[in-house]
Amino acid sequence: MPEFEITGPYIGALLMSLGALCLFIWGVLSGALYNTDEASSKFFEREMENEGRAREQPRERDTG
């Protein structure tokens, strides 16, 4: 059984890499990776709008 101790990790790594490759190919073919930069651009624009609104609003101060 010492052969499996040597080749076992390599077989496991090979199976995991093949699984990752299959997921990547599925993602490309299904369109999951299409136009992903648009979502990040919209998120960034919304964050900048929220930050601008926060700066425009007067801050309430505690008069304690």
Side-chain angles (χ1 to χ4, degrees):
M1 204 70 165
E3 298 89 22
F4 183 74
E5 292 177 3
I6 296 171
T7 59
Y10 293 108
I11 292 171
L14 180 64
L15 290 174
M16 286 189 291
S17 62
L18 286 174
L21 180 64
C22 289
L23 285 174
F24 177 73
I25 291 172
W26 170 79
V28 169
L29 293 178
S30 69
L33 303 176
Y34 176 73
N35 206 10
T36 55
D37 57 334
E38 183 178 341
S40 62
S41 304
K42 287 182 181 180
F43 177 78
F44 178 73
E45 289 171 4
R46 272 189 256 128
E47 286 296 314
M48 290 294 111
E49 288 174 5
N50 290 339
E51 186 176 321
R53 285 188 207 133
R55 288 183 181 175
E56 290 174 2
Q57 292 177 351
R59 294 185 182 176
E60 296 179 10
R61 295 185 181 177
D62 291 332
T63 57

